[in-house]
Amino acid sequence: MPLSREKIAATAIRLADAHGLDGLSVRRIAKELGVGPMRLYDYVLNRSELLDLMVDVVYARIAEAGQRSEWRARVLAVAHATRDAALDHEWFSDLLGGRPHLGPHALAVGEATAAALSQAPGVRGIDDLQRALGALNAFIIGAVRREVTERRTTRSTGTDEAAFQASLGPYLTRMLKTGRYPTVARLVIDGAHLNAEETFDHNLTTVLDGITSRPRT
Amino acid sequence: MPLSREKIAATAIRLADAHGLDGLSVRRIAKELGVGPMRLYDYVLNRSELLDLMVDVVYARIAEAGQRSEWRARVLAVAHATRDAALDHEWFSDLLGGRPHLGPHALAVGEATAAALSQAPGVRGIDDLQRALGALNAFIIGAVRREVTERRTTRSTGTDEAAFQASLGPYLTRMLKTGRYPTVARLVIDGAHLNAEETFDHNLTTVLDGITSRPRT
DNA sequence: TATCTGTGTATACACCGTACGGTAGCGAGA
DNA sequence: TCTCGCTACCGTACGGTGTATACACAGATA
């Protein structure tokens, strides 16, 4: 088993899944592979190129969702696949939107969604397409990022309200008790019960409807 | 001048503006202040708390835009202020959505936009508000992030098409020449002339219109 | 056999965040 | 006034990072 970019990327992904991006070091990957650290630089230029590699592996999974024929189904599938991938690999959301994703599979995903959107009603010229793609991708990136960070904090604090108030409490509950942030306080207290996927889907259709100029059903 | 959290945050911001987040180290800030590195830990718990500090300073500027009375004007002002802040402090976009922003000024911004959105037509209960806020923030985060990374790459490559093709070319142009990504290719070639702020504003109103269930004008 | 080439490895460097121990100054009590 | 204790400050040191570079060694060729 002579070591390859794929093998390196796979173990890097496994480590990043387990310990996050901060816990992912070249030395550690090498140790996991039973190799000296410098060995990796024969297959990869940088640490950042290694990250690009990992990202594109994830995009490969997302690209499989872009096979649908009808434009709206395809966009929905890609968006949900991106969300699923980010929930499986939380480090992916840290990289999302951070640098341009130009790997072959990332480009394939971009092509699939762009082609789909170009068939949407209300998207007339290439300028429309550019804008629509920007809006859609912006929403996906932001929504996924938000959801992942939210998951991280609730995991570190616990979903239990008492535990939550105990960890964030010394600061956040004091802040909210000042009465200066009534709406935020109401959201924090009452608004925890929404289903995440449902919210994502709801807002996604909102954005899509906005793009296609049709009122929400 | 006895050193303070504000002073530390200010020089940290200055350094981050100049050299990016990667070029921002505790040691460097300390050296800039003419102090030993450990000196900062008397004012700040972690490097990450220092980042939180910097972020909240930026939010203070954004919060000033949340003073308008009419809900839509307020949302627009906050969104544009966020974008402006991120363009002035590109590192801010790296942190955007990365961890929960709970500083007093960040909370003030959250309160301002939440209160504004709660007055929007089509936002009925607190669940509607939660969703609407999620959609809006997701868009802002994603859009700003995208724009900043785009600015970075065009700055590092140069906006000149020849220079662009020379730097990304060996890889990207080869990829695009394969014909597997026709729509992306069309976007890259034809779609560079759009005004960024206009696009942001356009998509922002698209999202807002989607939230308020009204068709785009 | 001697040399050359290329591949895998170990060492080394500059830097990072930060734990820790020490010290100097200063206000309070004897 | 002297001393004690405490706080605020500071330098050093440790374990880690990415990666440049020098080296060892195997296999191929002259």
Side-chain angles (χ1 to χ4, degrees):
Chain A
M1 195 172 46
L3 196 56
S4 65
R5 284 168 71 95
E6 289 74 20
K7 194 96 189 108
I8 292 174
T11 72
I13 287 175
R14 194 157 40 83
L15 284 178
D17 286 345
H19 307 102
L21 268 194
D22 291 348
L24 183 76
S25 67
V26 175
R27 294 171 135 92
R28 188 144 181 199
I29 300 170
K31 179 172 289 182
E32 191 79 9
L33 288 166
V35 192
M38 284 305 106
R39 196 61 212 294
L40 301 190
Y41 286 90
D42 295 331
Y43 299 84
V44 154
L45 199 66
N46 284 337
R47 178 190 143 98
S48 76
E49 187 181 294
L50 193 142
L51 295 183
D52 288 345
L53 217 62
M54 296 165 61
V55 165
D56 211 55
V57 170
V58 173
Y59 269 113
R61 239 191 61 189
I62 298 173
E64 295 174 10
Q67 313 280 14
R68 316 295 209 83
S69 59
E70 201 263 329
W71 75 268
R72 194 180 175 98
R74 210 201 287 191
V75 170
L76 291 178
V78 168
H80 276 103
T82 304
R83 175 173 172 273
D84 291 343
L87 293 183
D88 281 355
H89 310 286
E90 299 193 342
W91 51 268
F92 182 71
S93 85
D94 296 327
L95 267 19
L96 210 51
R99 91 178 75 243
H101 295 165
L102 299 178
H105 297 106
L107 285 179
V109 171
E111 173 65 24
T113 68
L117 268 190
S118 72
Q119 295 173 20
V123 177
R124 274 167 280 266
I126 193 160
D127 288 2
D128 271 9
L129 177 57
Q130 179 109 321
R131 274 193 283 254
L133 200 61
L136 177 65
N137 280 335
F139 168 75
I140 293 176
I141 292 173
V144 166
R145 233 163 176 264
R146 271 175 54 86
E147 187 172 342
V148 167
T149 67
E150 195 175 307
R151 249 184 23 154
R152 280 181 178 144
T153 62
T154 65
R155 175 171 14 170
S156 77
T157 66
T159 178
D160 181 347
E161 185 172 350
F164 176 78
Q165 290 213 352
S167 70
L168 268 304
Y171 173 75
L172 185 57
T173 63
R174 179 163 49 86
M175 278 308 234
L176 297 183
K177 282 253 166 67
T178 63
R180 281 190 288 171
Y181 317 104
T183 318
V184 173
R186 206 149 52 93
L187 283 171
V188 169
I189 294 170
D190 295 341
H193 59 86
L194 263 71
N195 178 276
E197 179 170 8
E198 204 176 46
T199 301
F200 179 81
D201 194 68
H202 175 96
N203 282 336
L204 178 59
T205 61
T206 296
V207 170
L208 275 185
D209 289 347
I211 289 173
T212 58
S213 310
R214 278 183 296 160
R216 195 175 66 200
T217 57
Chain B
M1 199 169 44
L3 196 57
S4 66
R5 284 166 72 95
E6 289 75 19
K7 193 97 190 106
I8 292 173
T11 72
I13 287 175
R14 194 156 40 83
L15 283 178
D17 287 344
H19 308 102
L21 267 194
D22 291 346
L24 183 76
S25 67
V26 175
R27 293 173 133 91
R28 189 144 181 199
I29 300 169
K31 179 172 289 182
E32 192 78 7
L33 289 165
V35 191
M38 283 306 104
R39 197 59 212 297
L40 302 190
Y41 286 90
D42 296 327
Y43 299 84
V44 154
L45 200 65
N46 285 336
R47 179 190 142 98
S48 75
E49 187 180 294
L50 192 141
L51 295 183
D52 288 344
L53 218 63
M54 297 165 61
V55 165
D56 211 56
V57 170
V58 173
Y59 269 114
R61 240 191 60 190
I62 299 173
E64 297 174 8
Q67 313 280 13
R68 315 296 209 83
S69 58
E70 202 264 327
W71 75 267
R72 195 182 175 97
R74 211 201 286 190
V75 170
L76 291 178
V78 168
H80 276 102
T82 304
R83 175 173 172 272
D84 291 343
L87 293 183
D88 281 356
H89 310 286
E90 298 193 344
W91 50 268
F92 182 71
S93 86
D94 296 326
L95 266 19
L96 210 50
R99 93 178 73 242
H101 294 165
L102 299 178
H105 297 107
L107 285 179
V109 171
E111 172 66 24
T113 67
L117 267 190
S118 72
Q119 295 174 21
V123 177
R124 276 166 279 267
I126 193 162
D127 288 3
D128 269 10
L129 177 56
Q130 179 108 320
R131 275 193 282 254
L133 200 61
L136 177 65
N137 279 336
F139 168 74
I140 293 176
I141 292 173
V144 165
R145 230 160 179 267
R146 271 176 55 85
E147 186 172 344
V148 167
T149 65
E150 195 175 308
R151 251 190 13 160
R152 279 182 179 142
T153 60
T154 65
R155 176 174 33 208
S156 77
T157 66
T159 177
D160 181 347
E161 186 172 349
F164 175 79
Q165 290 212 352
S167 70
L168 269 303
Y171 173 75
L172 185 56
T173 62
R174 178 163 50 84
M175 278 309 236
L176 296 183
K177 282 254 167 67
T178 63
R180 280 191 290 172
Y181 317 104
T183 318
V184 172
R186 206 149 51 93
L187 283 170
V188 169
I189 294 170
D190 295 342
H193 59 84
L194 263 70
N195 177 275
E197 180 171 8
E198 204 176 46
T199 302
F200 179 80
D201 194 67
H202 176 95
N203 283 336
L204 177 58
T205 60
T206 296
V207 170
L208 275 185
D209 289 347
I211 289 174
T212 59
S213 309
R214 279 182 296 162
R216 196 174 66 201
T217 56

